[in-house]
Amino acid sequence: MKTSIGVFLVALAIGGGLAFSQGQDPKQDQRQEQKQEQKDKDAPKDDSAKRMELLESDLVSTRKRCEGLASELSETKVTLAKVVHYLDAQATSAAALQEALAASEAAGFTAGINPNSREILLAGWRATLNTQQRDVPAMPVTPLVEPLKKPGAKSDATDTPK
């Protein structure tokens, strides 16, 4: 009986040892290693591709924003030109009214009933007209910002990255 138990234990040990020593196929191990290496190589590419897509979308949104700001700037320049033109016209009109007041005064406007009130009225008008003619803004001769270049348009060598 002791021999049968001994033989049984030896057979069990040999069978278990063989069962556990049977590994995977060496070719299959190589395939798994290659797949892992490929994943490791692709992972940075995937990260860089995602990063590149993010940068491209950011560039597109920035370009759209710049184009919108350029459009807004051109509209603001047009409005500013209209305002400056209006203010210049007001200053010119004030100068013409001042001349008319001087001519009226020379023709005897202040003479007659209550001339002091007329002199006060003329002084008030002149003060208002002087204020309208002072510090009138002028449009700048040179443009404030150069227009944006369209992508794909030819430019000089300083703009192109090397």
Side-chain angles (χ1 to χ4, degrees), residues 56-158:
E56 286 175 351
S57 66
D58 187 38
L59 176 64
V60 168
S61 66
T62 303
R63 182 173 287 145
K64 286 180 182 178
R65 182 172 169 258
C66 285
E67 289 172 356
L69 289 173
S71 171
E72 186 177 331
L73 177 64
S74 65
E75 291 172 7
T76 303
K77 283 182 177 181
V78 168
T79 303
L80 177 64
K82 288 178 182 178
V83 168
V84 169
H85 179 71
Y86 173 79
L87 291 175
D88 187 45
Q90 291 301 309
T92 303
S93 175
L97 184 56
Q98 249 182 347
E99 290 176 15
L101 291 179
S104 173
E105 190 174 21
F109 176 74
T110 54
I113 301 173
N114 198 1
N116 289 340
S117 67
R118 292 179 184 178
E119 289 174 356
I120 293 170
L121 178 66
L122 290 176
W125 268 343
R126 286 192 177 107
T128 300
L129 296 174
N130 285 334
T131 302
Q132 287 179 352
Q133 295 177 67
R134 190 175 351 145
D135 300 328
V136 177
M139 285 298 293
V141 177
T142 59
L144 299 175
V145 177
E146 292 183 21
L148 289 177
K149 295 180 181 176
K150 297 289 182 186
K154 291 187 178 182
S155 62
D156 59 356
T158 59

